[in-house]
């Protein structure tokens, strides 16, 4: 069952201020630490105005912060049994066993992924990418390695791609050739990159389609894309996180494209294999 908090958050993303986004990020990243605090305690802990938690709750359609807090507490306490069992297993492993803790965290995140992103949503995104004339892949920082993986795989399917990275002017230069027949796949984690908003405004003005693959911070990124595939990564956002979950999302899109458009995608791979044979000849 979808999270009430996340559902309301996705509907209200355009209304959220910078302070609202700061509070939302804290609640997503540090839920176990913050969800039992009162509104004033929460405000003090993350350094916002004392009335800010109440205003955020009301924007999301709750009567006040106590109701928002109660919903988050219930969602946390009703987490899947697998997650609770995994957490107990990690604690039983003892301090310092970072490999076991990391494996447990990633497995839990992957087990919960299916409840957050349904296959029909993957189907829609895969079809939109397949139908596009060109695919612009946007990434900054740590997301760049995943963008390069996606770009290379799409090229193997015969889909022209352009990677949007670097400073603002670098991104702008690569956007000049965009048309309404194209699509942007944005990869962003933890917070909204400074180049995200102007890029998305240009995408809208051009009439191109857009997809955002993100952790839960993607639910408050604006302008809102046409499609959002968002899920939490393994650990709390205040700790080291890996790209395992977004890598699985990207891989599922690629596999879905291959399955739903087999003749074109597999045909392109077969053509590539013949080219490899030709180029590998002495």
């Amino acid at each position: 069952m979808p999270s009430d908090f996340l559902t309301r958050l996705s509907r209200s993303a355009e209304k959220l201020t910078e302070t609202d986004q700061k509070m939302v990020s804290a609640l997503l990243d540090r839920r176990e630490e913050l969800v039992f605090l009162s509104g004033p305690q929460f405000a003090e802990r993350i350094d916002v105005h004392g009335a800010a938690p109440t205003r955020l709750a009301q924007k999301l359609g709750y009567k006040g912060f106590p109701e928002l807090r109660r919903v988050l507490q219930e969602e946390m306490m009703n987490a899947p049994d697998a997650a609770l069992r995994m957490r107990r297993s990690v604690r039983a492993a003892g301090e310092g066993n970072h490999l076991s803790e990391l494996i447990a965290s990633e497995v839990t995140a992957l087990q919960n992924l299916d409840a957050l992103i349904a296959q029909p949503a993957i189907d829609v995104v895969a079809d939109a990418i397949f139908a596009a004339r060109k695919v612009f892949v946007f990434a900054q920082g740590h997301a760049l390695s995943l963008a390069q993986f996606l770009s290379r795989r799409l090229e193997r399917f015969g889909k022209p791609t352009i990677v949007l990275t670097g400073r603002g002017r670098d991104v702008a230069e690569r956007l000049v050739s965009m048309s309404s027949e194209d699509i942007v796949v944005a990869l962003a984690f933890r917070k909204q990159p400074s180049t995200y908003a102007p890029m998305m405004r240009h995408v809208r003005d051009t009439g191109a389609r857009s997809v955002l693959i993100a952790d839960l911070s993607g639910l408050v990124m604006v302008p809102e894309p046409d499609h959002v595939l968002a899920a939490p990564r393994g650990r709390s956002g205040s700790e080291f996180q890996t790209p395992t979950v977004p890598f699985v999302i990207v891989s599922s899109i690629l596999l879905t494209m291959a399955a739903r458009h087999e003749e074109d995608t597999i045909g392109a791979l077969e053509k590539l294999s013949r080219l490899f044979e030709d180029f590998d000849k002495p």
Side-chain angles (χ1 to χ4, degrees):
M1 185 170 124
S3 160
D4 179 77
F5 176 67
L6 297 183
T7 299
R8 293 179 186 232
L9 190 59
S10 63
R11 292 172 181 168
S12 306
E14 295 279 359
K15 299 187 297 184
L16 299 184
T17 65
E18 186 174 336
T19 298
D20 293 333
Q21 292 180 13
K22 179 179 180 179
M23 290 186 287
V24 167
S25 296
L27 288 170
L28 293 175
D29 290 345
R30 299 154 56 191
R31 178 174 296 197
E32 291 188 358
E33 172 192 347
L34 301 174
V35 77
F36 293 100
L37 299 179
S38 67
Q41 290 172 330
F42 171 62
E44 182 179 4
R45 181 71 60 88
I46 66 169
D47 193 25
V48 297
H49 189 275
T54 298
R55 289 197 292 264
L56 171 64
Q58 291 172 345
K59 282 183 183 179
L60 297 179
Y62 298 107
K63 293 178 181 178
F65 188 76
E67 183 182 7
L68 184 155
R69 183 182 61 180
R70 177 182 56 77
V71 168
L72 290 178
Q73 289 172 352
E74 290 176 354
E75 290 181 356
M76 187 177 73
M77 298 305 290
N78 292 328
D81 289 342
L84 297 176
R85 290 197 301 271
M86 192 62 69
R87 187 174 291 113
R88 284 196 292 267
S89 298
V90 169
R91 289 171 178 166
E95 294 184 5
N97 195 337
H98 300 297
L99 177 60
S100 294
E101 193 275 339
L102 180 60
I103 292 171
S105 176
E106 297 298 305
V107 168
T108 299
L110 290 171
Q111 288 175 328
N112 293 333
L113 179 57
D114 197 37
L116 293 170
I117 300 178
Q119 183 59 45
I122 298 289
D123 294 344
V124 170
V125 169
D127 289 347
I129 293 174
F130 177 80
R133 181 178 66 100
K134 289 198 305 287
V135 182
F136 291 78
V137 182
F138 171 84
Q140 299 289 327
H142 296 303
L144 183 56
S145 59
L146 187 55
Q148 291 169 335
F149 168 80
L150 174 59
S151 174
R152 188 162 187 175
R153 292 291 180 175
L154 289 174
E155 292 279 1
R156 289 186 170 200
F157 284 169
K159 184 64 63 178
T161 66
I162 297 174
V163 177
L164 303 173
T165 189
R167 296 176 298 178
R169 286 176 175 263
D170 297 324
V171 174
E173 285 177 353
R174 298 186 183 102
L175 284 172
V176 171
S177 65
M178 176 178 285
S179 78
S180 60
E181 300 175 28
D182 300 331
I183 191 168
V184 165
V185 179
L187 302 157
F189 312 115
R190 294 183 71 89
K191 64 180 182 178
Q192 179 168 315
S194 61
T195 47
Y196 174 84
M199 177 200 68
M200 290 298 298
R201 287 195 293 269
H202 180 74
V203 172
R204 284 188 175 183
D205 291 343
T206 305
R209 306 296 290 170
S210 57
V211 176
L212 174 61
I213 299 171
D215 50 23
L216 294 180
S217 64
L219 296 174
V220 295
M221 292 186 188
V222 290
E224 186 179 354
D226 296 310
H227 309 285
V228 180
L229 300 177
R233 292 185 286 164
R235 300 186 181 191
S236 163
S238 60
E239 301 177 42
F240 172 79
Q241 292 182 316
T242 77
T244 302
V245 168
F247 180 82
V248 169
I249 295 172
V250 167
S251 297
S252 68
I253 293 171
L254 293 168
L255 287 171
T256 300
M257 282 183 65
R260 291 171 68 85
H261 306 282
E262 183 174 351
E263 183 176 349
D264 292 278
T265 55
I266 302 304
L269 290 174
E270 290 172 344
K271 181 179 180 180
L272 178 61
S273 296
R274 292 193 294 270
L275 281 170
F276 280 159
E277 290 176 4
D278 193 30
F279 275 80
D280 288 341
K281 289 178 181 177

